[in-house]
């Protein structure tokens, strides 16, 4: 028993907070929030629950931590070309968030929850600071900084969350559904609508079927930025 106790102590000493976070992200990516349990972590890391709680707290605290970890990494993304314009900076960070949520389907919900529940937390403040500085650099009047930044952040989060839902969230969409099949079925259904009642819908069927999500996202960013630059 003494030898086993020494082995357990040695094993817990080498276990790091980063290992727990990385393993938690792997579990979330593989099976969603339901797959992330303290028991699953202890089994995957061959450790005890005490070590998990010591490093990262309870499950809710761990979910906040992994969300912060992924979002912080996305916010640290910088433009590849220099000098970068405010528009470049905003597009880069917006795409980084877009790609992070595309890579981690669980992230959209956790990100929104963090912003709602913890407006002074590092996720909320980090996003507003990273975007807001560039809104100011665009020449938006100081009195409009909050409204302008909020509008841009709301667009970014809304668009990336919708994309995550289409790509396989758990709310009424088959997680294994093929994107091409999804939009193909939607196009076929739209085609059956009466063109006299739905002329616009018929006009965009081809565009809807062939659109690129990232390009569409960037188009939205460009429209919002164009509007912001005209604020006086």
């Amino acid at each position: 028993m003494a030898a086993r106790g020494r082995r357990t102590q040695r094993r817990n000493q080498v276990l790091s907070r980063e290992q727990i976070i990385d393993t938690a992200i792997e579990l979330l990516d593989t099976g969603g929030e339901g797959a992330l349990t303290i028991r699953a972590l202890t089994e995957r890391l061959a450790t005890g629950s005490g070590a998990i709680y010591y490093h990262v707290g309870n499950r809710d605290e761990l979910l906040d931590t992994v969300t912060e970890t992924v979002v912080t990494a996305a916010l640290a993304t910088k433009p590849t070309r220099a000098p970068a314009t405010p528009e470049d900076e905003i597009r880069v960070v917006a795409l980084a968030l877009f790609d992070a949520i595309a890579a981690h389907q669980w992230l959209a919900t956790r990100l929104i929850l963090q912003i709602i529940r913890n407006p002074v937390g590092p996720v909320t403040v980090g996003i507003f600071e990273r975007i807001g500085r560039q809104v100011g650099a665009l020449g938006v009047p100081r009195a409009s900084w909050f409204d302008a930044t909020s509008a841009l952040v709301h667009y970014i989060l809304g668009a990336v969350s919708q994309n995550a839902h289409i790509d396989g969230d758990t709310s009424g969409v088959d997680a294994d559904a093929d994107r091409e099949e999804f939009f193909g079925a939607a196009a076929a259904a739209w085609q059956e609508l009466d063109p006299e009642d739905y002329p616009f819908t018929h006009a965009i069927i081809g565009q809807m079927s062939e659109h690129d999500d990232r390009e569409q996202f960037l188009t939205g960013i460009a429209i919002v930025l164009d509007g912001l630059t005209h604020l006086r």
Side-chain angles (χ1 to χ4, degrees):
M1 291 294 292
R4 181 179 179 184
R6 286 195 297 271
R7 285 197 299 271
T8 301
Q9 183 180 24
R10 232 181 358 255
R11 181 180 57 203
N12 288 343
Q13 286 175 344
V14 299
L15 179 67
S16 69
R17 187 171 186 270
E18 289 70 25
Q19 285 177 295
I20 297 172
I21 293 171
D22 289 343
T23 303
I25 291 173
E26 291 175 5
L27 290 170
L28 288 165
D29 288 346
T30 302
E33 283 197 29
L36 179 60
T37 64
I38 299 300
R39 181 175 181 178
L41 278 172
T42 59
E43 291 177 352
R44 181 71 68 90
L45 293 167
T47 189
S49 59
I52 303 296
Y53 291 122
Y54 173 78
H55 284 291
V56 295
N58 61 33
R59 182 178 181 274
D60 287 339
E61 291 171 322
L62 176 57
L63 282 167
D64 286 344
T65 298
V66 296
T67 301
E68 179 185 338
T69 299
V70 175
V71 171
T72 299
L75 294 177
T77 306
K78 299 293 184 182
T80 55
R81 71 176 188 178
T85 66
E87 291 89 347
D88 292 334
E89 295 277 0
I90 290 172
R91 279 192 292 267
V92 164
V93 72
L95 275 179
L97 289 170
F98 181 98
D99 291 339
I101 289 179
H104 307 286
Q105 290 294 307
W106 51 271
L107 182 59
T109 299
R110 299 309 309 183
L111 177 54
I112 298 301
L113 286 175
Q114 282 240 20
I115 290 176
I116 293 173
R117 294 175 178 174
N118 193 8
V120 298
V123 168
T124 306
V125 174
I127 291 174
F128 269 83
E129 183 67 26
R130 182 81 166 84
I131 299 294
R133 288 186 186 185
Q134 305 311 319
V135 168
L138 284 171
V140 173
R142 190 184 186 91
S144 299
W145 281 4
F146 176 70
D147 288 344
T149 303
S150 295
L152 187 51
V153 169
H154 290 162
Y155 169 75
I156 292 171
L157 296 183
V160 295
S161 297
Q162 181 182 11
N163 183 71
H165 175 82
I166 291 174
D167 283 346
D169 200 357
T170 57
S171 305
V173 177
D174 182 2
D176 297 321
D178 180 79
R179 182 182 185 280
E180 185 175 345
E181 292 178 0
F182 176 86
F183 284 110
W190 286 11
Q191 194 70 52
E192 295 299 317
L193 297 172
D194 189 332
E196 292 188 3
D197 292 333
Y198 301 94
F200 173 79
T201 302
H202 272 265
I204 64 168
I205 289 175
Q207 298 173 29
M208 185 270 289
S209 301
E210 301 172 3
H211 82 279
D212 180 275
D213 290 331
R214 293 174 97 251
E215 290 301 321
Q216 185 183 70
F217 178 64
L218 286 176
T219 297
I221 293 290
I223 291 171
V224 176
L225 290 180
D226 183 65
L228 295 184
T229 57
H230 287 84
L231 284 175
R232 293 291 182 267

